[in-house]
Amino acid sequence: MLNIVIFGAPGSGKGTQSINLIEKYKLAHISTGDVLRAEKAAETELGKLADSYMSKGQLIPDELMIDILASVFDQKTKNEGCKGVIFDGFPRTIPQGTALNEMLEERGQKISAVVSLDVPEEELIERLLNRGKLTGRNDDNYETIKARLDVYYNQTTPLKELYEKDGKLYSVEGVGSVEDIFARISALIDRVN
Ligand code: AMP
């Protein structure tokens, strides 16, 4: 199985690149943000709880996220043709990273590579403000974007060290055309696959 973590700040292009990657490598896409937004749209209890964090740019508590991830993973990978998974937006904390390794190990799998999309902060903010205008996402406003970037730098970037130690971290310049960035990521994946 090809299990890729697509890593990067909000607005770094994880979702956009995931859509191309799942097509090319026949992978299941697990976007924890999409899962939570679907729960919110369906007005479930989980969705309401998640939105109370998301709308402020904060992370949903680890234990809850880890439980959700395991059930989404099992559901998305039950199809026989599934060749692996793209994890988009998970893990976002060290405990989530540890839980992901354990969950995969219990299933006889492991992370193949972590692809980190590097984008300067000014460009992240510009992209997210534009997306907010286009989609109306309630966390794509200036104040919440700032909070999300703080969360990313403080809680998520420490994961890079963990993956670097494991020899799994690959950094890719996330600036340029979608096609060029996709070609950079594909070249990397072809090396580890
Ligand atoms: P995203 O679509 O990945 O940018 O996620 C949007 C929001 O969903 C985040 O700002 C968090 O509030 C929440 N979220 C998504 N994934 C996670 C996660 N792995 N852990 C905690 N919160 C998450």
Side-chain angles (χ1 to χ4, degrees):
M1 295 284 250
L2 181 65
N3 292 316
I4 306 286
V5 173
I6 189 136
F7 192 92
S12 58
K14 301 188 295 295
T16 305
Q17 293 299 334
S18 294
I19 289 164
N20 292 331
L21 291 166
I22 55 170
E23 175 83 9
K24 176 162 182 179
Y25 295 97
K26 306 287 172 249
L27 305 174
H29 182 200
I30 299 185
S31 158
T32 43
D34 284 352
V35 170
L36 298 171
R37 280 185 289 277
E39 293 286 334
K40 180 190 165 188
E43 297 181 2
T44 63
E45 285 308 311
L46 170 61
K48 284 180 212 159
L49 177 68
D51 191 50
S52 68
Y53 294 96
M54 293 165 85
S55 61
K56 295 192 211 99
Q58 296 166 355
L59 296 182
I60 276 70
D62 281 337
E63 286 143 59
L64 186 59
M65 246 9 268
I66 290 165
D67 283 350
I68 295 172
L69 182 89
S71 70
V72 174
F73 179 87
D74 288 336
Q75 194 208 327
K76 292 239 180 185
T77 54
K78 66 177 185 233
N79 175 339
E80 264 183 39
C82 176
K83 297 215 164 32
V85 169
I86 295 264
F87 295 94
D88 164 6
F90 191 101
R92 267 178 149 100
T93 62
I94 295 275
Q96 290 184 16
T98 311
L100 178 59
N101 284 344
E102 284 170 8
M103 186 202 73
L104 289 172
E105 205 176 306
E106 280 165 15
R107 290 158 178 77
Q109 298 188 43
K110 60 180 172 47
I111 293 172
S112 314
V114 177
V115 177
S116 172
L117 292 174
D118 297 341
V119 177
E121 181 167 328
E122 313 78 68
E123 176 144 354
L124 294 171
I125 295 173
E126 196 185 313
R127 287 184 189 176
L128 291 167
L129 288 173
N130 275 333
R131 187 174 70 185
K133 279 189 212 134
L134 290 172
T135 65
R137 241 178 88 161
N138 72 345
D139 57 348
D140 283 342
N141 61 75
Y142 192 74
E143 198 187 327
T144 314
I145 290 168
K146 278 289 192 190
R148 288 157 68 202
L149 289 173
D150 275 351
V151 164
Y152 174 73
Y153 296 127
N154 293 323
Q155 300 190 52
T156 307
T157 54
L159 278 164
K160 278 191 174 184
E161 226 172 276
L162 191 100
Y163 289 127
E164 194 147 39
K165 258 194 242 145
D166 286 350
K168 293 200 167 153
L169 184 72
Y170 299 87
S171 291
V172 168
E173 199 190 341
V175 179
S177 71
V178 171
E179 295 75 21
D180 285 349
I181 300 165
F182 180 58
R184 286 174 211 149
I185 301 174
S186 300
L188 255 173
I189 294 182
D190 291 340
R191 269 203 274 146
V192 299
N193 196 10

